[in-house]
Amino acid sequence: MKKFDYSLDFKTLNFRDRPELYIVGKGEQGVLLVEPYKSELLPHWRFKTPEIAEISSSKLYEMYLDYKQQGDFVGMDMARKFIQMGYTRARRYANHPGGRKYDQESKELIPIAEIEPVKAESARIFKLKWDAIRSDEIYQQMKQEHRHKYES
């Protein structure tokens, strides 16, 4: 697997016009860099409460389906990354009040004291959409095709 290329000029690059430059990478790499998708998806990304997470994850998933209908793998993958990030950030806040995983002074991992149920439910809501994407055979096929065509 090719690593995400952080050396690109993300301020001027349009990945809809240049999908060959997009690297899937690992996890959420590039989620806040790849345009125009970042600007399209970010306004809908929220996880503060389960109600907000439901609206956000549904809108992001709807956008994923729109990109899929257009045959736009980069858009699909970016929507997946935002949904995945909704899950991971909500889980972080569920596990660590204030969202800090590490002590600022010692840099050691702060142990999980008590799970915050509201954020845990927000995470669960995003996870359902993330699981739907990961099990989407067309997404998996398009990801393999993209990697074979552009990342080998």
Side-chain angles (χ1 to χ4, degrees):
M1 176 175 55
K2 203 170 182 183
K3 291 187 178 194
F4 190 83
D5 186 357
Y6 287 100
S7 70
L8 297 173
D9 181 5
F10 291 99
K11 288 183 179 14
T12 61
L13 194 53
N14 180 325
F15 284 87
R16 185 168 284 128
D17 295 338
R18 302 290 309 274
E20 73 278 7
L21 296 177
Y22 180 76
I23 303 296
V24 173
K26 185 175 180 181
E28 303 157 22
Q29 288 181 322
V31 71
L32 297 176
L33 296 172
V34 176
E35 290 289 4
Y37 305 101
K38 178 195 98 170
S39 293
E40 294 169 359
L41 295 159
L42 183 60
H44 307 289
W45 180 74
R46 302 285 182 269
F47 61 90
K48 188 173 186 175
T49 67
E51 295 78 17
I52 291 170
E54 184 61 48
I55 292 166
S56 174
S57 65
S58 293
K59 178 61 177 174
L60 293 169
Y61 189 72
E62 176 186 313
M63 294 174 79
Y64 164 82
L65 294 174
D66 289 344
Y67 292 130
K68 180 179 174 180
Q69 185 177 28
Q70 297 165 25
D72 183 347
F73 172 73
V74 178
M76 291 169 65
D77 198 51
M78 287 294 294
R80 186 262 316 158
K81 287 180 181 193
F82 270 93
I83 289 170
Q84 181 177 347
M85 187 169 67
Y87 167 74
T88 59
R89 295 312 181 279
R91 273 297 346 148
R92 179 185 299 168
Y93 280 83
N95 295 343
H96 304 283
R100 292 198 184 275
K101 286 173 59 172
Y102 298 95
D103 183 90
Q104 286 184 304
E105 291 180 20
S106 71
K107 307 296 183 208
E108 291 183 20
L109 184 65
I110 298 170
I112 298 171
E114 188 175 322
I115 301 293
E116 203 281 290
V118 171
K119 292 297 188 291
E121 178 61 13
S122 292
R124 186 192 70 76
I125 290 166
F126 272 98
K127 179 92 168 40
L128 292 172
K129 297 290 193 298
W130 184 26
D131 288 345
I133 293 171
R134 291 190 301 182
S135 65
D136 181 344
E137 290 181 21
I138 293 172
Y139 169 78
Q140 292 300 331
Q141 178 185 354
M142 289 177 77
K143 181 167 85 170
Q144 290 306 319
E145 288 171 2
H146 183 87
R147 282 186 162 158
H148 178 72
K149 190 173 181 180
Y150 301 123
E151 297 183 31
S152 23

